[in-house]
Amino acid sequence: DTGVSQDPRHKITKRGQNVTFRCDPISEHNRLYWYRQTLGQGPEFLTYFQNEAQLEKSRLLSDRFSAERPKGSFSTLEIQRTEQGDSAMYLCASRARGLKSYNEQFFGPGTRLTVL
Amino acid sequence: SQELEQSPQSLIVQEGKNLTINCTSSKTLYGLYWYKQKYGEGLIFLMMLQKGGEEKSHEKITAKLDEKKQQSSLHITASQPSHAGIYLCGADPFYNTDKLIFGTGSRLQVFP
């Protein structure tokens, strides 16, 4: 399978614990995005990378959230001191910049986080 | 900030019927994307529209972008149970940026 993969698919944690999610983009894609989706809503942009550089972060991304893409390949999203409001689906997407004129983003299956 | 409003929020149709979902923007759209999402899963890219008046089709799904580039419609002909899911429109908030903003989605159910 050569699509975007995310791990784990589901995570249940207790409030106050730290969690880390991983995203593996399509191999030739140099841009990687994180979105958060709550029930009944569309995805909301969190942050994105071009190669290993984090180019933009949303105001939604509080200090408890940190994302990395150390070698420009996979990315991790860490949430520290989780709160119940962090419960959501975390979606990762990737895109190859420059191969096409439009911004088609390919999404992974998501990681569903439940904070108890 | 730009907002995308989708209508209807939910629709239930009988198999074989046609249906239309609308996506309206408060500002000019530089790129309009349609995605489909099965419950609890990721988004599947359907189509992308950029030019005013543009229309694209894939199998039984047709998407259009109006001339003013502020409204798009997604039309499904002869709906099938496989069309069931949540349809999301997304857009570039500014020209040539990468982050997308999304509407709240339109949930489609198709019954036999």
Side-chain angles (χ1 to χ4, degrees):
Chain A
D1 184 76
T2 57
V4 178
S5 62
Q6 292 187 246
D7 184 69
R9 294 289 308 276
H10 303 274
K11 179 69 177 179
I12 300 174
T13 191
K14 293 182 179 179
R15 188 176 53 187
Q17 298 294 306
N18 299 342
V19 294
T20 300
F21 310 141
R22 176 178 170 126
C23 171
D24 287 89
I26 294 171
S27 58
E28 64 269 24
H29 287 184
N30 56 358
R31 292 208 170 186
L32 185 148
Y33 312 79
W34 286 99
Y35 293 84
R36 181 172 67 187
Q37 185 179 26
T38 53
L39 198 62
Q41 300 296 317
E44 295 175 299
F45 170 80
L46 293 178
T47 187
Y48 86 94
F49 295 82
Q50 177 170 304
N51 300 315
E52 65 275 9
Q54 188 172 18
L55 296 187
E56 186 172 352
K57 293 194 295 185
S58 165
R59 285 173 291 179
L60 293 173
L61 215 62
S62 76
D63 292 343
R64 297 184 297 104
F65 288 71
S66 62
E68 294 182 342
R69 194 183 182 196
K71 297 183 179 180
S73 56
F74 73 92
S75 175
T76 58
L77 178 68
E78 181 183 15
I79 308 174
Q80 296 182 326
R81 306 180 303 282
T82 52
E83 301 173 357
Q84 288 184 325
D86 296 331
S87 296
M89 173 78 87
Y90 290 84
L91 294 161
C92 176
S94 72
R95 170 181 175 260
R97 186 170 187 268
L99 292 181
K100 293 184 177 180
S101 62
Y102 55 85
N103 187 22
E104 177 182 340
Q105 295 187 16
F106 293 88
F107 282 80
T111 294
R112 180 168 295 282
L113 172 66
T114 302
V115 182
L116 302 175
Chain B
S1 63
Q2 187 166 26
E3 293 183 352
L4 294 179
E5 186 174 323
Q6 287 188 237
S7 63
Q9 292 184 346
S10 179
L11 63 168
I12 303 172
V13 301
Q14 188 175 25
E15 184 176 357
K17 297 294 186 183
N18 303 336
L19 62 105
T20 299
I21 296 168
N22 295 302
C23 176
T24 303
S25 170
S26 56
K27 298 181 181 179
T28 300
L29 298 166
Y30 291 105
L32 189 286
Y33 309 82
W34 283 101
Y35 286 89
K36 179 185 176 183
Q37 184 177 33
K38 291 282 192 181
Y39 180 76
E41 298 181 8
L43 280 63
I44 299 169
F45 174 77
L46 296 175
M47 278 172 280
M48 183 274 183
L49 304 166
Q50 264 189 322
K51 301 177 183 177
E54 188 174 8
E55 179 176 324
K56 288 186 178 178
S57 293
H58 175 68
E59 297 180 344
K60 295 184 177 180
I61 301 176
T62 300
K64 301 178 184 179
L65 182 62
D66 74 338
E67 290 289 343
K68 293 184 178 180
K69 296 171 64 175
Q70 285 190 279
Q71 187 168 16
S72 178
S73 62
L74 186 81
H75 183 78
I76 299 177
T77 303
S79 58
Q80 300 170 352
S82 61
H83 289 128
I86 301 170
Y87 289 83
L88 290 154
C89 64
D92 295 310
F94 303 105
Y95 177 72
N96 201 29
T97 63
D98 271 340
K99 65 181 180 182
L100 298 179
I101 59 169
F102 287 89
T104 54
S106 297
R107 180 181 293 273
L108 170 63
Q109 295 175 267
V110 181
F111 66 93

